[in-house]
Amino acid sequence: MSEATHARAATGRRTTRVSLDGLRKHFDNAPAPAIAHLDLQTEEGEFISLLGPSGCGKTTTLRCVAGFEFPDEGRVRLNDEDITDLPPEKRDIGMVFQNYALFPHLTVWRNLAFGLEMRGIGKAECRRRIDDVLAMVQLTALAERYPRQLSGGQQQRVALARALVIEPRLLLLDEPLANLDAVLREDMRVFIRELQKRVGITTLYVTHDQSEAMVMSDRVAVMLGGKLLQFDVPEAIYMRPRSVEVARFIGRSNLIEGSVEGLTDEPGPYPTYRVSTALGSVPASHDQPLATGQPVHVTIRPEAIRFRNDGPYAGRVQSAYFLGSTVEHTVQCAGGQGLLVQTSPGRRLDAGAQAAFAFDPGHAWIISAAP
Amino acid sequence: MSEATHARAATGRRTTRVSLDGLRKHFDNAPAPAIAHLDLQTEEGEFISLLGPSGCGKTTTLRCVAGFEFPDEGRVRLNDEDITDLPPEKRDIGMVFQNYALFPHLTVWRNLAFGLEMRGIGKAECRRRIDDVLAMVQLTALAERYPRQLSGGQQQRVALARALVIEPRLLLLDEPLANLDAVLREDMRVFIRELQKRVGITTLYVTHDQSEAMVMSDRVAVMLGGKLLQFDVPEAIYMRPRSVEVARFIGRSNLIEGSVEGLTDEPGPYPTYRVSTALGSVPASHDQPLATGQPVHVTIRPEAIRFRNDGPYAGRVQSAYFLGSTVEHTVQCAGGQGLLVQTSPGRRLDAGAQAAFAFDPGHAWIISAAP
Amino acid sequence: MRTKRKPLATRVADAVGLAYVGAVYVFLLLPIAVIVLMSLNAGEFLTFPPQGISLRWFGALFANEAFMRAIGTSLQVAAIATVCSTVIGVAGALYVVRHATRLREGLRMLLMLPLMLPEILTAIALLFFLYASGVGTRTMFGLLVGHVLVTLPYVFTNVASSLYNQDGSLEQAARSLGASPWRAFVRVTLPLIKPGIITGALFAFVISFDLFNMSLLLKGIGMTTLPLQLFDYLRWDFDPTAAAVSTVSIVVTLVAVVWVDRTVGLRSLRFG
Amino acid sequence: MSAVMTAEAPPRSSARRKARPGRGAFWLIAPALVLIGVFLVLPYLNIIAMSLRPTAAGAPYGAGFTLANYAHALGDGYILGVLADTLVLGATTVPICLLLGYPVAYHLARSRSRWGSLLYVLVLSPLLVGVVVRSFGWLILLSGNGVINRVLIDLGLVETGLQLMNNRLGVTIALVHVFLPFMILPLVGVIQSIDPTLEQAARSLGASRLKVFWRLVLPMSWPGIQAGTVLVFVLTLSAYVTPVMLGGAQVKTMSVLVVQNLIDNFQWPAGAAQALVLSACGMVAVWVYARLTGRFMKGLQ
Amino acid sequence: AQNLVVNTYGGRWEKFWRSDLMPTFMKAAGVETTLDVGLGKNFVANLRAAGVAKPPYSILMVNENIASLVRAEGYFEPIPAAKVPNLASVYPILRNAEDNGVRGIVSTIGIGYRKDLVKTPPKSWSDLWSNPEFKGKIGLYQIGNTAAMLFLLMTAKLYGGSQDAIDRAFTEIKKLLPFTQADWSGTLSTMLTRGDVTVAVIDFPEIVALQKKGVPVEMVVPTEGVLAFEQSFNVLKNAPAKEEAYKYLDFILRPDVQEMMAKEFFTSPTNTRSKLPSDLAKDVPVSGDRMKSIFQFDWAKVNPQVAAITDRWNREMK
Ligand SMILES: Nc1ncnc2c1ncn2[C@@H]1O[C@H](COP(=O)(O)OP(=O)(O)OP(=O)(O)O)[C@@H](O)[C@H]1O
Ligand SMILES: Nc1ncnc2c1ncn2[C@@H]1O[C@H](COP(=O)(O)OP(=O)(O)OP(=O)(O)O)[C@@H](O)[C@H]1O
Ligand SMILES: NCCCCNCCCN
Ligand SMILES: [Mg+2]
Ligand SMILES: [Mg+2]
């Protein structure tokens, strides 16, 4: 173990592929499985977010990877090594807990030293590594403090440092920002992401905050009810949701029911169809062939809709909230369809105004009912 | 008391002006006063947010109003009635605590009944009022539950209901959303604001989350170090900050140092000056007369800057983060000035690209050094 | 609500409350003060108020071999019993809090049982049992068993409540950092529940040091503990040596309590 | 003590696998089970058997089994009277402890004074003095010519000394004294954990300080009250030295009677039966009490 | 020689055993001893829990009334006169049938009173009933103490003619109510010292000890006779160290050892050959010929009634 450690110390980074194959976990007394069936493969050095509503199985997945929970079925592999049955302390995985789980009786320094001591790493090497990591998280000055003497953000960084200093093969983070206030949370997001890029360590990140997942991840895995709904880069998840659930969960979105009228020949990266909806006939894109008459949903993001006097659609502004950098309008359209429209403050309309609006077919995406 | 109560019950709403006059509070053993000097007058039925960084005196202000803290100097008035020396139970003010402070040994129903019983209100009237309020917060079905059997958002609503059911003269909320997750927080913001509008009760709301203050308030009071920095409608706070501190604290902003070159005759709601900065000569607005050569700051919001090939200013994109509905760029300009630029995803530039940009003089605001 | 501007009614209410609490403290201290004063009595009798002040009875005490031996025995028994009940109680609390599932409440009741049964009856039951099983009371064994039984619930409740308050994810954090279950326990759990353990041990020690009925019946032949010695002594001799012993044992326990306060803080004392 | 917490990894079967931490850790509870099983349960079985034996002259007990001892313990007016007296003693000691202890616990829980530790020592002080000497201290204070009576006489408040001991009063005073710590400590813990913002919430809803106490703090203290009262009750039932030293011949408790029978008169079967009746009554009382008070604690986990 | 377990009571008893008796015995007989301190009833509880076959003691000192009970259960055996030569010169009233046990130490019990608080000193037991000065100021023992049983049986004899007149005794003693009941001598001494009681049924050694400390108390040998705590020495049937037990018993009964006890301890010598120095006559009022005045009772008849008597005393004397 100590030899391997030295090798790692030399390179300074260890990249790993994680592979979850057919994971299933059903707790005793639970009505439904926490993880119904999960397949998920990462690339080396990727930052993956597990995103989903409360109770969808994110934590359980992470705990199976960490070794605190043993799956009923399926395997967990790191670089093809099957670790499903290893106890947690043999897995060499760094974990950051939602409440940080810092050892309250140890100083920052000794919190960081803990994992190294467990590995029997010598004094000098310990000191070097801890110094490095402390510098990295900008906590060198606070090494002798106890956790309770630190602010939330500082505690968070200690937790991160403690997981990183053992130079693990994989980093797991379970809602590490949930306990921070909005301002601090934003700072920590950037911090974690930049650190992860610098160290290059493969990371699984659990959150139920979609904007967090969007900003931070290389790829996002959206879960619901113990199943994986979609696993793709953030932009695809946001712009091209595969299901109504994903569209609803990721950002604010307008979902309009309709049925396919036919393919058009508009140019664009994806084929454009016309869809008959309450708004009228609407152009929207999809990457799969669709049959005429097929019932579908069209999703349009609020910021993709623009008020334009010559716009083909019309409605009445019901409310307008100033959100600082943007204004959010609710618009009641013909046919009873309600829409959310987000504009910059310069283009706001006041409540009660008549609005005409438009959107690009490239920003309207079709979700086919049967995925 | 019971007569007054009936009168209130009849109208269903009680609006009140709050007036804080020269409030000062210095805790024993504290190096600086928690409230140095505070003057603040509200209108009837207004929703006022107290906004400011941690430790700026928001909670202390609220506690002085609630009667848990007695100010060293100054008076607290409700509709010209001086309540500074009244004990909390005689003030008739509803308060919602950050941690909700629900009575764990009482059911939801009995939590709501508590304040009514303290006022000696009869059974039937109690029942009627509680039923009303429960319906209002959509918790009728959960009346017999204990607090620990409720979700965070439900507990939050019970806390709100408990403060409202006594039909207080004033509603105080101390960071009531800080313990909720991001998704729930957004829902509750809307909920609280709409409820407040419906009931029409004057409300003081404490938060350190600027976007929360922006969305919810009629007016925002920005505090720092026990002093009131600015008290105005959200848009004015956001667009026309009076000090560098306010600009920094409210939203992301670009602050550029410079000196006044002179007045221009560009049209607009406010006079436009030219300011000499590291970017060059920049047009910006201000509502007060400024002397030529006067050192000032210019603040420009990231979303007010547009990439335009013919823009008068130039720089290099250093990073671009996809945030879902927007993309955030950092741009390094000539003269070493760094700028934050926010665009819609359609107008993004990639890291490394050369960027030309522009902004309206109406969106660049001058902060004069001596306010 | 604690400032210059407190209303008068509030201040009066505070004063009345404080006076009441003060009176209870006086009540708690009264007999102890009497005993300490009596031990300083210069006269021949255990009387109050003392007839002059002297330390002669402390001299008599330190010269009294029987008392010194009894003190030694009591310290020894209390120390051994404390160690045993602490080890057994900590392990038991760990199991009940962290591992027991369905049997949890049953086990908790079982470990609290010695507290629920009258000590004198337990002592007699044990006495018969010891002789029936051939162990007898020739050694200290029976006495120790009795003391461990009686002190176990005190350790158990204190440790169990500090375990409940401790965040389970800390142990998991230790595991994920490479600690085996045992090392996670020693390095993380143990230091964190230390206040509970020390409080429990303190109670165990104080209770054992003063255990009467159990010792009366189970003491080994030829030995005696301090409470028994005092009882026997007061049966025949009513001089202030007895008060001197008590004063000494108050001082000794006080030192222990102050030590606990220094290490874990008395504010962590809890019960039940 | 090795391998404390969890067992090794579960077997490599692909069927439903479970982490079974309970099994490997079973031996953690084993010492306690052995101790209590062998040295408490077994001996008590023996005592129960003994209580079913007939009395005999010239032997500890006679042959055969009988319910006569229970019939006597439960049928004899005098013994029932002593039993009732004992339960009443418990039932008076407990509320007095509560009345005296609660304000102290509240003060201790809420005080941030530097003297906090000293106050804890004061609360613990009755436990620091042995039972024998402590009772003796009370004897000095309470006897006919005792300190208290002399002070009262000197102050002219009474003519002749009051009867403060060799009666229920003396025993109760001394028992309250020694069991106060057992009431105060659980209460301190519970009161400390009551969130002060709850009190503020109640006040902002219009409750005066008294109402806040009555409607909020007191009901929320129930877990501590329950723990303390049960503890004091149980300890009172089995107290021996204090009733003997301060009760004289006037106050007989079941413990005293049991010792008299078992130790003084060698009436083992009868004594055992009486002792078991006492234990049973105590446990039933505690159970009923826990049941009744459980209702007050519904909302409190 | 084997180590011998020797039992005694606490306080002055223990002090005397440790500092005088045991070292002297060691010197005389070369036997190592272990001292077990406690109360008669605890010794017996131990004995009975252990059973006849494996007693923890070889020789046991307890009050004769208690000894007679255990004797009936077959724990003891007769003492061979050859092994204990001093047995022969013990006062006959202190010897048992077949020499199964012998009463080796006697502390006589009479009346003690406060010289300063009592105008007419008592002369006889009947004065307790007749002197109105004593009303409410009498100290007796609780029934658990041997002295209370002795007082009851004596009252039966004095008023009912025989120790069997228990009913009569109860009637008479109830006339003394209210009186204070002490659980042991120390308590009674304190009550006398403090004046809580002015007259008490108490053993003389206790009074002497008080006098030496300067308490104004006096003792009275009642005209009807005296009571006594009689320490009965019994050799166990299955004694682990029987020879040593005989040696110890013989030592206890030695005339000089008895004199030593009287001097240090104010007990009445039980060996007819002991000579009490005249300066001790005041402190040990009953010795020599006056030993005959010690009331004697048939414990075999009392023992079966002890439980009932205790019970009745509990109910009636309060
Ligand atoms: N130990 C357990 N026993 C029984 N059910 C459990 C256990 N742990 C989790 N569950 C259930 O499994 C499901 C998934 O839980 P999990 O903690 O993985 O959700 P999550 O996605 O992390 O949610 P959250 O965002 O609220 O943390 C939930 O329904 C939960 O109630
Ligand atoms: N009881 C007190 N004693 C001494 N200082 C206090 C006390 N309460 C508050 N302060 C100090 O007064 C200042 C203002 O505190 P306050 O709680 O009002 O801040 P806040 O704006 O509510 O901050 P936050 O956002 O962290 O809640 C802080 O510096 C704080 O440390
Ligand atoms: N001072 C006289 C001692 C007599 C011993 N009697 C012991 C009786 C115990 N119940
Ligand atoms: Mg989770
Ligand atoms: Mg605050």
Side-chain angles (χ1 to χ4, degrees), chain B residues 181-351:
Chain B
D181 66 52
V183 175
L184 202 49
R185 187 155 47 221
E186 195 136 325
D187 291 348
M188 286 308 301
R189 277 180 196 164
V190 177
F191 184 86
I192 290 179
R193 181 53 169 143
E194 305 213 320
L195 193 65
Q196 189 267 345
K197 274 194 183 150
R198 197 137 34 97
V199 180
I201 187 172
T202 312
T203 301
L204 290 187
Y205 186 93
V206 162
T207 181
H208 60 248
D209 181 336
Q210 49 96 0
S211 68
E212 202 159 286
M214 289 294 155
V215 195
M216 299 181 75
S217 326
D218 292 319
R219 284 195 287 170
V220 175
V222 183
M223 293 179 70
L224 187 75
K227 292 204 192 90
L228 187 63
L229 292 186
Q230 193 168 348
F231 182 34
D232 212 333
V233 296
E235 196 167 346
I237 299 269
Y238 189 78
M239 300 299 240
R240 299 186 294 280
R242 292 258 158 250
S243 62
V244 172
E245 289 81 7
V246 173
R248 278 218 187 94
F249 192 73
I250 308 297
R252 293 161 165 264
S253 93
N254 296 296
L255 271 175
I256 307 165
E257 281 182 56
S259 63
V260 178
E261 287 179 351
L263 192 64
T264 69
D265 48 9
E266 277 195 51
Y270 301 102
T272 302
Y273 295 82
R274 292 211 72 85
V275 180
S276 143
T277 71
L279 290 180
S281 177
V282 160
S285 313
H286 200 58
D287 55 356
Q288 308 278 319
L290 294 168
T292 304
Q294 186 177 340
V296 293
H297 283 89
V298 175
T299 167
I300 310 169
R301 297 292 172 183
E303 68 276 11
I305 303 179
R306 293 185 310 279
F307 290 133
R308 242 173 52 188
N309 292 340
D310 59 349
Y313 316 105
R316 230 177 99 83
V317 177
Q318 290 208 300
S319 70
Y321 280 113
F322 178 64
L323 300 184
S325 66
T326 58
V327 177
E328 198 167 281
H329 309 75
T330 54
V331 177
Q332 189 70 27
C333 302
Q337 179 76 41
L339 285 182
L340 221 50
V341 177
Q342 180 178 314
T343 68
S344 65
R347 301 182 184 276
R348 71 185 292 174
L349 288 181
D350 287 325

Side-chain angles (χ1 to χ4, degrees), chain C residues 68-84 139-141 143-144 147-148 205 208-209 223-226:
Chain C
M68 297 315 282
R69 203 198 313 253
I71 291 175
T73 308
S74 273
L75 285 175
Q76 190 189 351
V77 170
I80 298 175
T82 300
V83 169
C84 293
T139 61
M140 232 193 232
F141 178 78
L143 182 66
L144 285 174
H147 280 235
V148 173
F205 189 90
S208 162
F209 197 73
M223 66 184 293
T224 192
T225 67
L226 185 60

Side-chain angles (χ1 to χ4, degrees), chain E residues 137-159:
Chain E
K137 290 287 180 188
I138 300 174
L140 295 183
Y141 283 91
Q142 289 182 9
I143 190 63
N145 192 300
T146 299
M149 193 62 80
L150 290 169
F151 184 68
L152 180 83
L153 296 175
M154 179 193 73
T155 308
K157 245 183 194 167
L158 292 179
Y159 288 89

Side-chain angles (χ1 to χ4, degrees), chain C residues 202 205-206 251-261 263:
Chain C
L202 176 75
F205 189 90
V206 169
V251 170
V252 169
T253 353
L254 207 59
V255 169
V257 171
V258 168
W259 174 74
V260 168
D261 187 32
T263 44

